[in-house]
Amino acid sequence: MSIPKNPRAVVTGAAGGLGRALCLALAQRGAKIIVSDRDLPGAEATARMVGEAGGVGHAVNCDVTKIADIEQLATLADEKFGGVDLLINNAGVAVSGPVGAIPLKDWEWIVNINLWGVIYGCHVFAPRFKAQGSGHILNVASAAGLLSAPEMGPYNVTKAAVVALSETLSGELRLQGVGVTVLCPTFFQTNILHNSRSESLAQSMQDAAAQRMQQSKIQADDVARIALQGCDRNELFVVPMADGKWAWRMKRLAPESYFAFMPRMMKYMEKKTAK
C-alpha cells in the first residue's frame, strides 16, 4: 500500500502551491504524473518542472466539479502511463465569514470544488485500485476539518467531510491492498487566500492568517514530503504541524473546554495582528 518506485500519479490542483510541490516531490521519485488544473498554463509550467526534476509530466485542463473531467484523467493515465498508482485530490478553495452572512452561492462554490471534487476523484479511482489490488489515495484536507475554528464554516465543513470520506474509504479498501491518507496541515504559504471568498470577516483575521502562513517553519515542500512519507507508511492521518497536532489532541481530550477556548484565541490573534 506504500507508493511504489517510479509511481504513476494523478494530481489535481497542480498549477502551483502544494499541488506543484507534491508533483516535484514525486518527480524526485521518478514519477510519471498527470498534472491537472483549471489553470492550464500553470499546469504546463508544473509539468516542465517535473521533467527537469527527473519525472515525466503531462499537463491537462481539469475542472474537478465535472465528473467527465475526472474520468478523462483516468483515461489519460491509462493511455500515457498504462495505469495509476497514486491519486492526489488536492484542488481546493476557501470561503470565510459568519454562518448566515456568507452567500449561499459561495457555499455552493466551495462544496462543489472542495467536496464534490474529492468525491468524484474517489468515485472514479477507488474501484480501479480495488480491482488491481493496489494503489493509494491521498486526500488533501486541512486541520480546519479537525478543529472547526469560528468564521470558517464552509471551509471547515468541506474539509471535515473529506476527513470523513477518507476514514470511510480506509475501512473499505485497506483489506483490498489499497491505502488512503488524509493530509491535515495548518498554516503554510499558498495562493489560497488570493483565491478565496470572504464575507464580513475582519481584515485583521485575514492578516493573521497570512502572517502565520509566512512565519510557518513548515512550508509547501515540507508538507509534500511529509505527506508522501505518510503514504509510504500507510498512515491514515498526516498532521504535519505541531500546532495542529496539539489543538487536535486538546479537542479530543476536552471538547467542551476546547470550544470554550477557541473564540477567545481567535480574538487574541486578531488583536495581536492589528497592533
Side-chain angles (χ1 to χ4, degrees):
M1 287 184 279
S2 62
I3 302 173
K5 185 177 180 181
N6 307 123
R8 301 163 298 177
V10 170
V11 183
T12 67
L18 180 58
R20 176 172 288 175
L22 285 161
C23 288
L24 294 180
L26 286 168
Q28 294 174 4
R29 299 178 177 220
K32 298 176 181 178
I33 310 169
I34 299 295
V35 180
S36 69
D37 203 290
R38 288 186 65 181
D39 174 8
L40 183 57
E44 290 171 338
T46 298
R48 288 193 296 271
M49 295 170 71
V50 164
E52 294 167 357
V56 175
H58 181 81
V60 59
N61 185 290
C62 175
D63 181 347
V64 297
T65 68
K66 298 178 180 178
I67 183 63
D69 282 17
I70 302 298
E71 292 171 337
Q72 180 191 23
L73 299 182
T75 300
L76 280 172
D78 285 342
E79 293 174 354
K80 299 292 182 181
F81 309 141
V84 182
D85 304 300
L86 173 66
L87 166 68
I88 301 181
N89 287 311
N90 170 70
V93 293
V95 171
S96 56
V99 174
I102 299 165
L104 290 179
K105 61 182 176 60
D106 289 349
W107 276 92
E108 293 168 357
W109 177 69
I110 193 172
V111 168
N112 284 337
I113 296 170
N114 286 14
L115 180 52
W116 274 108
V118 177
I119 291 172
Y120 287 152
C122 294
H123 177 79
V124 170
F125 284 89
R128 296 164 62 91
F129 289 165
K130 186 176 180 179
Q132 70 191 32
S134 64
H136 204 101
I137 297 172
L138 172 59
N139 290 329
V140 178
S142 167
L146 304 173
L147 304 177
S148 304
E151 300 200 14
M152 294 176 59
Y155 191 68
N156 294 343
V157 167
T158 56
K159 294 304 186 179
V162 170
V163 172
L165 175 58
S166 302
E167 292 172 342
T168 303
L169 276 176
S170 178
E172 293 178 358
L173 300 178
R174 185 175 292 265
L175 297 182
Q176 312 300 322
V178 181
V180 179
T181 297
V182 60
L183 175 62
C184 299
T186 54
F187 295 95
F188 64 99
Q189 284 188 300
T190 70
N191 294 322
I192 196 164
L193 287 180
H194 301 293
N195 299 323
S196 68
R197 296 183 182 182
S198 167
E199 186 71 23
S200 303
L201 185 65
Q203 182 62 44
S204 55
M205 287 299 295
Q206 296 186 55
D207 293 342
Q211 186 179 84
R212 293 191 67 185
M213 286 179 174
Q214 185 176 12
Q215 292 176 346
S216 175
K217 295 180 180 179
I218 298 179
Q219 291 295 338
D221 292 346
D222 306 302
V223 174
R225 173 179 49 80
I226 293 168
L228 295 181
Q229 289 173 347
C231 294
D232 288 331
R233 294 190 291 266
N234 197 33
E235 295 176 349
L236 174 54
F237 301 100
V238 174
V239 184
M241 286 81 163
D243 57 351
K245 291 176 182 176
W246 279 106
W248 189 31
R249 185 174 294 125
M250 178 182 175
K251 179 188 172 187
R252 286 177 290 165
L253 290 174
E256 293 289 344
S257 298
Y258 170 84
F259 283 108
F261 171 76
M262 177 60 75
R264 296 182 178 88
M265 174 56 70
M266 297 291 286
K267 290 296 183 183
Y268 169 76
M269 290 173 53
E270 183 179 349
K271 290 178 180 178
K272 183 178 179 181
T273 305
K275 290 181 179 180

